[in-house]
Amino acid sequence: MPFNTVSISKLLWFKNVRADEEPVDQKKYLEEGCKPKCVKQLRAYEACVKRIEGDESGHKHCTGQYFDYWACIDKC
C-alpha cells in the first residue's frame, strides 16, 4: 500500500512534525541514551585500541570489539 498524505501525517503526528517539515532523525538520540548501558563493550574496545596502537604491520585490529560495542547499542 503506497503512502499518501494522510498516512504520512499519521506517522509524523507522534513527533508533532507537520508533513511539510523535514523530520528529525531520532537514531542519534536513541544511541546516546544506550551508550551508558554498553560501557563494558566500550572499555574492551578502548583496551584493544591501546594494546595495538604501536602496530605498524596492519595485521592487528579491534574490529570484533568495535562491532560488539555497536551491537550492544543496537540491541538497546
Side-chain angles (χ1 to χ4, degrees), residues 48-60:
C48 179
V49 169
K50 188 171 179 97
R51 273 194 314 272
I52 68 165
E53 67 185 10
D55 177 43
E56 305 256 340
S57 69
H59 294 296
K60 297 179 183 178

Side-chain angles (χ1 to χ4, degrees), residues 60-73:
K60 297 179 183 178
H61 57 83
C62 299
T63 306
Q65 292 84 350
Y66 178 80
F67 284 123
D68 289 346
Y69 174 62
W70 281 104
C72 176
I73 292 173

Side-chain angles (χ1 to χ4, degrees), residues 16-35:
N16 294 325
V17 176
R18 293 189 347 231
D20 61 337
E21 292 178 348
E22 188 67 30
V24 177
D25 184 8
Q26 298 297 309
K27 184 178 182 212
K28 67 180 178 179
Y29 301 111
L30 295 170
E31 287 176 346
E32 288 300 318
C34 289
K35 286 180 179 181

